[in-house]
Amino acid sequence: MTDVQPLHLVTLLGSLRKGSLNAAVVRTLPELAPAGMTFAALPSIAGYPIYDADLQAEGIPAVVEEAGEAIRAADGVVIVSPEYNYSMPGGLKNAIDWISRLKGQPFAGKPVAIQSVSGGTLGGARMQYHLRQALVFLDAHVLNKPEVMIGQGQNKIDAATGKLTDEPTRQFITTQLTAFVAYIEKLR
Ligand code: FNR
């Protein structure tokens, strides 16, 4: 039997919608993950005030500290988000902007994998490249490939269970998470 390295990942979700397709993917990750991989959700992006340097000067909000500690303690971060107007949702960018202001910036050197779901055919590709650009400044180590961009998500997610059911997409996510394990090991 091969030894399984336990890996603890945190997820950052870019949608607040109750019926979110991206939330459905996050919900399905544990059953698609390689052995030993566990997930915990970072605080919802709804909990961050709009970034304001004056507010920061009064003290970093507790939710930001909480997210920063969780990212620091994790082996990696999986960001799962829709594309809004060819870019990342404002709420997601706002959360990342806040986290980036923490001392000992938590994304620095942190392995990150990105997944996106959209209703259209491109699967959120444009949002992913904008997100990658921001993560360059934060010095995160973003997994290059495979890129998980899920188009026409409404046909791949079962509304009743709120889970990703499309088998090729499920297998592809397992392939990405397996590549992420190797990437995390390589960076150690
Ligand atoms: C969208 N949507 C969208 N889709 C896309 O492929 N490219 C885009 O640029 C946009 N832009 C956009 C802007 C705004 C403000 C909204 C609300 C939506 C559609 C989007 O992919 C779709 O609503 C997803 O289902 C949203 O993700 P969740 O909430 O289901 O996870």
Side-chain angles (χ1 to χ4, degrees), residues 10-29 40-48 77-82 84 88-96 99 107 113 115-117 127 131:
V10 288
T11 55
L12 181 55
L13 174 62
S15 173
L16 297 174
R17 210 164 66 82
K18 246 186 271 142
S20 164
L21 302 172
N22 287 274
V25 168
V26 171
R27 211 174 287 125
T28 314
L29 289 180
L42 287 171
S44 163
I45 60 168
Y48 297 72
V77 182
V78 184
I79 302 178
V80 185
S81 177
Y84 283 178
M88 73 188 97
L92 175 63
K93 181 65 161 53
N94 182 57
I96 291 172
I99 294 166
F107 278 109
Q115 301 171 354
S116 54
V117 192
M127 149 342 251
L131 179 56

Side-chain angles (χ1 to χ4, degrees), residues 7 38 43 75 81 83 87 109 116 141 145 149 185:
L7 278 184
T38 57
D75 295 300
S81 177
E83 175 175 287
S87 188
S116 54
H141 291 306
K145 291 200 283 187
M149 299 159 172
E185 298 297 334

